Amino acid sequence: MRAAATAPAAGAASYGELVERVLRGDFGPDPRTRRVSVAFTTRQCVRHDGRGGGYRNEVLSLRVAEAVGSCAVEPGELPDATVEGCVGADVARLLAHDLAPVRVAALDAYLSHVLPHTPANGARPCPLPAGTSLEKSRARARAVAALLDAPAGGTVLVVGVVNSLLEALRDRGLAYIPCDLKGGTTEWDEPVRTDALAHLDRCDTLLVSGMTLGNSTFEPLREHALLHGKPLVMFAQTGSAVLPRLIGAGVSAVCAEPYPFFWLDGGPGTVHRYGGVAS
């Protein structure tokens, strides 16, 4: 039985407007009064048992009070001095930083602080069981895929290739177009497209990584979904507290996964689903 979702507590019409509203103090305390106390990066390399290939991740995370905000970056892309430069800086200053991942992580940390992932703010907690890295990856993928309201025989544009997510779509009999700036092939030797925008007209539904916030490819995808009335589901380690505020402005649903992420620990965890429909 599927249950209708609760709406998020507050939102904006675009990413840019969201930043402007945060700077105005529309969501809570003046961001000039909230400082980053801890900044760190997390680097990992993964090759699940039973999978033919692996991948690397790097994530910048900033702590504001009790909350941690994150933004994924390409491994090795972040200058070494970035972390030190963020510590002690106020959120407003970091929202004007030269580097987009810093701006996104700061926004995410602030919104995680003022609008935490709770039912009052529109979140539905979804437990992830303990398990191997692959078991947890598949559990997270099922939690994400449950938010998709894809038509029978439709095609999903997947931006940010995660093989467990593709596997979940295959299990539902859905066609997909895998896209990732890194290119390459999927676990099933399907070519990965590097230009997602070139394939928008071929899809009925979009399934997009929050990492698109950090590499500035998110807004064209959101605008396309809004203009054409297509469902846009986000899976978000990057910007887990940012993207729920854009539901209704092109974003249909979000599976939010704040730090620490499922791949860091074999124990049970939780993701938070917003919008859409879920079992």
Side-chain angles (χ1 to χ4, degrees):
M1 179 89 180
R2 293 190 167 190
T6 358
S14 68
Y15 179 82
E17 181 186 293
L18 183 60
V19 174
E20 291 173 3
R21 293 193 61 197
V22 165
L23 288 169
R24 288 202 305 262
D26 288 358
F27 296 101
D30 186 336
R32 294 165 186 79
T33 69
R34 295 298 184 268
R35 296 184 179 275
V36 170
S37 58
V38 181
F40 59 98
T41 57
T42 307
R43 297 179 182 179
Q44 63 125 343
C45 187
V46 177
R47 184 163 182 173
H48 301 303
D49 283 346
R51 285 275 166 84
Y55 57 90
R56 293 173 59 207
N57 280 333
E58 185 171 343
V59 181
L60 170 68
S61 297
L62 305 178
R63 181 166 180 170
V64 173
E66 77 297 339
V68 174
S70 297
C71 183
V73 297
E74 291 299 327
E77 178 184 84
L78 209 62
D80 290 340
T82 304
V83 167
E84 290 83 353
C86 291
V87 173
D90 64 72
V91 169
R93 175 183 155 196
L94 294 181
L95 289 177
H97 198 279
D98 289 343
L99 297 176
V102 173
R103 299 195 298 269
V104 172
L107 182 63
D108 192 34
Y110 176 84
L111 289 172
S112 294
H113 171 51
V114 299
L115 292 170
H117 297 294
T118 62
N121 292 324
R124 303 189 307 278
C126 176
L128 300 183
T132 66
S133 61
L134 182 56
E135 288 167 345
K136 291 195 73 175
S137 178
R138 284 171 166 162
R140 197 276 298 253
R142 290 191 294 270
V144 173
L147 291 170
L148 281 169
D149 189 16
T155 300
V156 182
L157 185 77
V158 181
V159 183
V161 169
V162 178
N163 283 308
S164 292
L165 285 176
L166 301 184
E167 184 179 52
L169 299 182
R170 292 166 71 94
D171 288 345
R172 288 181 54 178
L174 293 171
Y176 55 80
I177 304 167
C179 302
D180 199 295
L181 292 176
K182 296 176 184 176
T185 58
T186 71
E187 185 73 13
W188 300 273
D189 291 324
E190 301 151 327
V192 175
R193 317 295 181 179
T194 56
D195 185 359
L197 300 183
H199 299 277
L200 283 170
D201 290 339
R202 297 174 54 200
C203 75
D204 307 287
T205 306
L206 290 79
L207 179 60
V208 177
S209 167
M211 191 175 179
T212 54
L213 288 172
N215 62 26
S216 302
T217 59
F218 167 72
E219 276 293 286
L221 298 169
R222 181 194 66 79
E223 290 170 356
H224 176 87
L226 183 63
L227 179 63
H228 296 278
K230 296 180 181 180
L232 167 58
V233 174
M234 305 293 304
F235 54 102
Q237 294 176 342
T238 293
S240 71
V242 174
L243 289 161
R245 305 306 132 210
L246 296 172
I247 289 179
V251 175
S252 307
V254 179
C255 185
E257 186 181 356
Y259 195 93
F261 311 127
F262 79 87
W263 35 263
L264 284 167
D265 189 284
T270 304
V271 294
H272 307 275
R273 296 188 288 194
Y274 293 79
V277 290
S279 302

